[in-house]
Amino acid sequence: MRIDLHSHSTRSDGKESPTEVFEHAAAAGLDVLALTDHDTTSGWAEAAEAASRLGVGFVPGIEVTTVAKVTTNQRSHNISVHMLAYLPDPKHSALEQILGDSVSTRQTRAMAMVELLAKDFDITWDLVLKQIDEGATIGRPALADALVEIGVVPNRTAAFESILSKNGGYYLPTETVDVFDAISLIREAGGVPVIAHPLGGAKDNLDRGDLPHEHFDRLIAGGLAGFEVYHREVPQVARDWLLSLAKKHDLIVTGSSDYHGVHGKPNRLGEHTTSPEMLNRIIELASGSQAIL
Ligand code: AMP
Ligand code: FE
Ligand code: FE
Ligand code: ZN
């Protein structure tokens, strides 16, 4: 069984429709794929239909944009945490509310970034909107695509490594739901919260990761169900540490690609996978929606 529990479509920042994503999943020999667009469930229906037609299993999910307020060396700062929510009820009103809020906050933030970029480059908001489907969740990738179109950078990756990086001079944070509130809400909606690419910022030293590790105990106490340990952005030191933490607390461990389309990001479908046992645990814990297997 090849199970990949993290992918994006044109409903957020992927480059392929939900149907195309599942066509690629079938071609890649995947047995199960989760569609986890940023802050939206709008791709689920199309994904379910394509998956059934193609004989690929479908797990509905969301990658929820959340923020962790952490204090290190007596200084408090906000860290962006992506929380995967598997099988939540898409009609749970409080969850729908925070997703809607996040989509509009992301839009305001993207517009503000475009304003900063427009001082130095020939970028406009219309050009950015042209890069995405109507109603899609916007993020830096749409800005990257606009910068590619006007010839400032050759591709998305180049944009992320320079102008659009956190230190690139144009970056603004996205102020969204607190990570603890998100975990509670996902649980309330019958979903299973799993941190996406945890400690993705860590290199050789865990303390430089994107979340100080004392914080993880509080997240677990708050209802976190698991970690996406096997992901290209999670370095080996972090994997080892997360695996021992997962073992200690009997948590779920997943592995996934974070596919954004052939031309969206280098991540390839099935490059990391999740065991059938772990998928079963997710399904048993969930009560908000149904996987199609
Ligand atoms: P944002 O949430 O708007 O700050 O943008 C972050 C998103 O950009 C993430 O969800 C990634 O999927 C995407 N991203 C990050 N790095 C890259 C890259 N090198 N190439 C393409 N997309 C990227
Ligand atoms: Fe993304
Ligand atoms: Fe993410
Ligand atoms: Zn993702």
Side-chain angles (χ1 to χ4, degrees):
M1 285 280 273
R2 297 187 68 225
I3 302 164
D4 184 338
L5 295 181
H6 189 162
S7 73
H8 297 268
S9 74
T10 46
R11 304 315 304 155
S12 63
D13 58 357
K15 297 281 264 183
E16 296 159 5
S17 68
T19 301
E20 289 166 329
V21 171
F22 276 81
E23 284 167 355
H24 281 118
L30 285 184
D31 298 292
V32 180
L33 179 66
L35 184 71
T36 53
D37 276 310
H38 298 282
D39 306 311
T40 183
T41 62
S42 71
W44 287 9
E46 185 184 321
E49 199 184 294
S52 317
R53 176 170 57 79
L54 295 157
V56 177
F58 167 59
V59 176
I62 312 164
E63 187 171 5
V64 184
T65 311
T66 79
V67 54
K69 294 175 174 56
V70 298
T71 307
T72 42
N73 304 327
Q74 280 131 29
R75 285 185 52 205
S76 76
H77 51 138
N78 286 354
I79 289 175
S80 166
V81 177
H82 287 180
M83 188 63 64
L84 292 159
Y86 293 114
L87 300 158
D89 174 3
K91 294 277 168 234
H92 185 277
S93 61
L95 182 63
E96 264 192 311
Q97 177 75 43
I98 63 145
L99 297 178
D101 287 352
S102 176
V103 168
S104 53
T105 303
R106 279 171 158 283
Q107 167 135 345
T108 315
R109 174 260 199 162
M111 286 169 97
M113 280 185 72
V114 168
E115 241 173 73
L116 292 176
L117 286 160
K119 293 186 176 145
D120 299 319
F121 308 102
D122 233 352
I123 191 171
T124 62
W125 181 242
D126 277 349
L127 186 70
V128 171
L129 286 183
K130 239 184 72 188
Q131 312 301 320
I132 57 171
D133 281 8
E134 211 184 317
T137 306
I138 197 163
R140 278 182 287 161
L143 275 54
D145 291 347
L147 292 167
V148 172
E149 187 168 325
I150 57 176
V152 175
V153 284
N155 52 49
R156 275 189 178 184
T157 300
F160 272 91
E161 282 169 356
S162 59
I163 303 167
L164 295 184
S165 73
K166 286 197 175 139
N167 307 315
Y170 305 96
Y171 180 84
L172 296 172
T174 311
E175 299 283 340
T176 52
V177 61
D178 182 86
V179 66
F180 291 97
D181 297 337
I183 289 172
S184 306
L185 261 176
I186 292 164
R187 288 276 193 175
E188 241 178 62
V192 180
V194 172
I195 301 192
H197 41 76
L199 296 166
K203 294 279 184 299
D204 42 354
N205 175 353
L206 272 186
D207 290 333
R208 281 192 275 130
D210 57 8
L211 210 52
H213 49 233
E214 312 83 70
H215 203 71
F216 281 89
D217 289 331
R218 290 178 52 220
L219 293 173
I220 294 164
L224 180 70
F227 306 125
E228 186 183 51
V229 173
Y230 303 103
H231 181 291
R232 63 160 66 205
E233 283 161 29
V234 180
Q236 193 58 48
V237 275
R239 289 183 193 186
D240 295 341
W241 185 75
L242 289 163
L243 285 173
S244 62
L245 192 62
K247 199 165 173 199
K248 182 172 155 200
H249 295 275
D250 192 26
L251 300 180
I252 292 166
V253 167
T254 67
S256 297
S257 64
D258 204 355
Y259 182 71
H260 280 69
V262 173
H263 300 290
K265 239 180 157 179
N267 310 37
R268 289 294 165 259
L269 283 168
E271 68 177 28
H272 290 292
T273 54
T274 297
S275 72
E277 293 73 28
M278 290 298 173
L279 174 58
N280 280 340
R281 282 183 62 178
I282 290 173
I283 290 171
E284 274 163 23
L285 252 186
S287 58
S289 56
Q290 294 277 326
I292 305 173
L293 299 178

